[in-house]
Amino acid sequence: MGVRELGLPARAASAGLPERVTIWEVGPRDGLQNEKAVVPLEVKLEFLDRLAGAGLTTLEATSFVHPKWVPQLADAADLLAGLVPRDGVRYPVLVPNARGLDRALESGVGDIAVFASATESFARRNLNSTVDEQFAMFEPVVTRARAAGMRVRGYLSMCFGDTWEGPVPVEQVAAVGRRLFELGCEQLSLGDTIGVATPGQVEELIDAYAAAGIGVDALAVHFHDTYGQALSNTLAALRRGVSTVDSSAGGLGGCPYAGSATGNLATEDLVWMLDGLGIAHGADLDALVATSVWMAGKLGRPSQSRVVQALSG
Amino acid sequence: MGVRELGLPARAASAGLPERVTIWEVGPRDGLQNEKAVVPLEVKLEFLDRLAGAGLTTLEATSFVHPKWVPQLADAADLLAGLVPRDGVRYPVLVPNARGLDRALESGVGDIAVFASATESFARRNLNSTVDEQFAMFEPVVTRARAAGMRVRGYLSMCFGDTWEGPVPVEQVAAVGRRLFELGCEQLSLGDTIGVATPGQVEELIDAYAAAGIGVDALAVHFHDTYGQALSNTLAALRRGVSTVDSSAGGLGGCPYAGSATGNLATEDLVWMLDGLGIAHGADLDALVATSVWMAGKLGRPSQSRVVQALSG
């Protein structure tokens, strides 16, 4: 018998954690956009359907970024046309700019995310703009989206350290993030883009948002496992009351062969911990593992999730 | 510039954690005993010297288990004869039985560990005995060791789940562990042998020991990363006041190619978190990474530590 048939992980609650967590599944967008292989449309559609079937309720489906930059998601409009949405499941789409919003509106999208940088260096390298310029660009996007009745999430990257600047002052991250709420975002996802965060920083940043009048219900966390810290940082965020956690099925987006694996927290590794803690989330671990094993077959390489590796080995 | 030159991880403390942690390095024993390759004696000696040079103060050096079972450590007596101990560094040795203790005494060892099972199934499979029989075997070993002035640590395996039994009642783990203290052990290392633990269980077990009169200063934790949970479980233990953590340089002991990687928590991944939290431990991360890169070269395969992968990629 395997550990699952034997009832593992065992359940034991821990005081001071949320009763329920929303898993914001980013595998189909953030994961596949960072895979070398371009996955065929029909595989993406089956992936989304399997993830919804496994009980996940928020699936970031694709991105309307220019195909020149992200050829992996060039089929965004076709994907949305072919998607058969399930009841009770949200399918947000990343929209980088006004042109992306036009395309999202044409596709009938009701739920978008915008992507901002907490630092000048990353704004310049990734968006070819300053932090102020990125807000000038986002303002009409978010205003139009809200006027069209859309829900808007803001991603904030480099919240815990920057590739070019090193440590990022917590006040700076809180101030830039606050501007996303002022634009009209309803939720902010705090991204550890390079995976360097540790638990004290996570607590400090959440506290800084609270001091700026932004409560934990409006925050999500988005950790990368580059230095093996994603799950312990998630635990720290849960202890501060955050109840929306970004993760990627099978750890999609990290390269298993590169020296520096920069993948997202794997959904299955998160679910193992949540199940053990008795925190409700609605997903079925075995169905998720089966989906990631299937997707690994499509990608022709093993899953990055330790849980998937262990349960399928 | 790399993230290290830029001062990452950034430091931010977290309330309620120990100021100082003792890293109990198990790579030379638990790590190498689970590697397929048999590492030459001179490489082992250099490994130990490099780890001490990196600032680690407790190095579990080898094991006097019968070479038939663990050929990787058949050179235990030669290793101890060749070892040049550093001031302030402990070199405990695993001793499985009376014959092992004889050999340890012949080698002038002053610091040993014994290995017990919390469950009947694992006692039968691993030690070919019952839980009671294992104590009958240990009693004269620990008594003789203590009479010879040795320090004795007890390992307790399957504390959070068992391969054959599934969940293990916390009262059972506390009761079996308590018997190791009654025998004369000064410290107990709580082992998650199959890597299934989650943070609530960790807290529950530590609380059960407290209720049995055994405080956190006498406890250590020993997590495996099979399901990606080792570091978050460590964080939970630190929050309960545990200040001795077992880990393995480079994550030695896990197989990077097997479907199910069952390695120990990597010392470098632990140190990244401790450094970020500002918890003192005495080791230098960059020296540890350099050591694990060197050892990976000797083993002919990449390190399992995410930090080593990221910093050497």
Side-chain angles (χ1 to χ4, degrees):
Chain A
M1 281 214 292
V3 296
R4 297 290 292 154
E5 290 76 18
L6 286 165
L8 295 170
R11 284 178 188 242
S14 173
L17 295 176
E19 286 180 18
R20 176 172 256 307
V21 159
T22 297
I23 299 172
W24 189 291
E25 170 61 46
V26 299
R29 196 277 301 171
D30 196 7
L32 293 184
Q33 127 178 7
N34 288 299
E35 293 289 332
K36 263 191 188 153
V38 177
V39 173
L41 177 61
E42 62 272 19
V43 173
K44 289 177 182 169
L45 289 169
E46 183 171 348
F47 186 40
L48 285 161
D49 200 57
R50 279 174 172 257
L51 293 171
L56 292 170
T57 56
T58 309
L59 305 176
E60 194 162 300
T62 187
S63 167
F64 278 118
V65 67
H66 197 287
K68 182 176 152 191
W69 303 118
V70 184
Q72 293 92 335
L73 303 183
D75 58 4
D78 293 339
L79 181 131
L80 293 167
L83 182 67
V84 181
R86 295 213 187 196
D87 284 350
V89 179
R90 293 172 60 185
Y91 298 90
V93 172
L94 190 73
V95 160
N97 51 31
R99 177 69 190 112
L101 181 62
D102 292 340
R103 294 172 66 201
L105 287 164
E106 285 162 21
S107 288
V109 169
D111 205 333
I112 66 164
V114 298
F115 186 88
S117 171
T119 68
E120 294 290 352
S121 297
F122 191 61
R124 194 162 55 243
R125 308 272 180 149
N126 194 55
L127 306 169
N128 197 28
S129 69
T130 66
V131 167
D132 281 343
E133 284 165 3
Q134 74 180 353
F135 278 99
M137 183 183 75
F138 288 149
E139 189 173 16
V141 174
V142 178
T143 304
R144 263 209 295 153
R146 298 285 290 158
M150 287 177 163
R151 304 179 71 167
V152 184
R153 163 188 251 213
Y155 278 104
L156 192 60
S157 57
M158 297 293 181
C159 290
F160 301 94
D162 176 281
T163 313
W164 300 276
E165 301 181 15
V168 182
V170 69
E171 302 76 17
Q172 177 182 330
V173 180
V176 178
R178 201 179 166 169
R179 292 172 71 176
L180 284 163
F181 286 108
E182 288 163 358
L183 279 187
C185 291
E186 67 172 33
Q187 186 182 68
L188 181 63
S189 173
L190 303 170
D192 181 18
T193 315
I194 59 172
V196 296
T198 49
Q201 273 187 297
V202 175
E203 297 167 355
E204 191 175 63
L205 185 57
I206 293 166
D207 293 349
Y209 275 102
I214 295 158
V216 288
D217 290 346
L219 298 176
V221 287
H222 184 111
F223 292 117
H224 282 206
D225 209 29
T226 319
Y227 299 88
Q229 310 291 314
L231 198 58
S232 42
N233 288 330
T234 300
L235 182 60
L238 295 178
R239 283 212 190 287
R240 276 298 197 266
V242 170
S243 63
T244 301
V245 179
D246 298 4
S247 64
S248 173
L252 279 181
C255 175
Y257 303 121
S260 169
T262 56
N264 293 286
L265 171 61
T267 304
E268 294 86 354
D269 299 8
L270 169 64
V271 165
W272 184 281
M273 185 176 79
L274 296 177
D275 280 351
L277 288 163
I279 296 174
H281 52 77
D284 179 81
L285 181 57
D286 299 310
L288 287 172
V289 170
T291 300
S292 288
V293 169
W294 167 83
M295 179 52 95
K298 298 292 179 190
L299 291 168
R301 53 94 163 163
S303 166
Q304 280 289 87
S305 157
R306 303 249 169 166
V307 168
V308 174
Q309 288 171 13
L311 292 183
S312 65
Chain B
M1 280 214 290
V3 297
R4 297 290 292 154
E5 290 75 18
L6 286 165
L8 294 169
R11 282 178 189 243
S14 173
L17 295 176
E19 285 180 20
R20 175 164 205 90
V21 158
T22 298
I23 299 171
W24 188 291
E25 171 61 46
V26 299
R29 195 276 301 170
D30 195 8
L32 293 185
Q33 127 178 7
N34 288 298
E35 293 289 332
K36 263 191 188 154
V38 178
V39 173
L41 177 61
E42 61 273 19
V43 173
K44 289 178 182 169
L45 288 169
E46 184 171 348
F47 186 41
L48 284 162
D49 200 56
R50 280 174 171 257
L51 292 171
L56 292 170
T57 56
T58 309
L59 304 175
E60 195 163 300
T62 186
S63 167
F64 279 118
V65 68
H66 196 287
K68 181 174 152 193
W69 305 117
V70 184
Q72 293 92 334
L73 303 182
D75 58 3
D78 292 339
L79 181 130
L80 292 166
L83 181 68
V84 182
R86 295 213 187 195
D87 283 349
V89 179
R90 293 172 60 186
Y91 298 90
V93 172
L94 190 74
V95 160
N97 51 31
R99 176 70 191 112
L101 180 61
D102 292 339
R103 295 171 65 201
L105 287 165
E106 285 162 22
S107 288
V109 169
D111 205 333
I112 66 165
V114 298
F115 187 88
S117 170
T119 68
E120 294 290 353
S121 296
F122 190 61
R124 194 163 54 243
R125 307 273 180 148
N126 194 55
L127 306 169
N128 197 26
S129 69
T130 66
V131 167
D132 281 344
E133 283 165 4
Q134 74 181 352
F135 278 98
M137 182 183 76
F138 288 147
E139 189 173 17
V141 174
V142 179
T143 304
R144 262 208 297 153
R146 299 284 288 158
M150 287 177 164
R151 303 179 71 168
V152 184
R153 164 189 248 212
Y155 279 104
L156 191 59
S157 57
M158 298 292 182
C159 290
F160 301 93
D162 176 281
T163 312
W164 300 276
E165 301 180 14
V168 182
V170 70
E171 302 75 17
Q172 176 181 332
V173 180
V176 178
R178 201 180 165 168
R179 292 172 71 176
L180 283 163
F181 286 108
E182 288 165 357
L183 278 188
C185 291
E186 68 173 32
Q187 185 182 67
L188 181 63
S189 174
L190 302 170
D192 181 18
T193 315
I194 58 172
V196 296
T198 50
Q201 271 187 299
V202 175
E203 297 167 356
E204 193 174 63
L205 185 57
I206 294 166
D207 292 349
Y209 275 102
I214 295 158
V216 289
D217 290 346
L219 298 177
V221 286
H222 184 109
F223 292 117
H224 282 205
D225 210 29
T226 319
Y227 299 88
Q229 310 292 312
L231 198 58
S232 42
N233 288 331
T234 300
L235 182 60
L238 296 178
R239 283 213 188 288
R240 276 296 197 269
V242 170
S243 63
T244 301
V245 179
D246 298 5
S247 64
S248 172
L252 279 181
C255 174
Y257 303 121
S260 170
T262 55
N264 293 287
L265 172 61
T267 304
E268 294 86 355
D269 299 7
L270 169 64
V271 165
W272 185 279
M273 185 176 79
L274 296 177
D275 280 350
L277 288 164
I279 296 174
H281 51 77
D284 179 80
L285 181 57
D286 299 311
L288 287 172
V289 169
T291 300
S292 287
V293 168
W294 167 84
M295 180 51 96
K298 297 293 180 191
L299 292 168
R301 53 90 162 169
S303 166
Q304 281 289 88
S305 158
R306 301 249 170 166
V307 167
V308 174
Q309 289 171 12
L311 292 182
S312 65

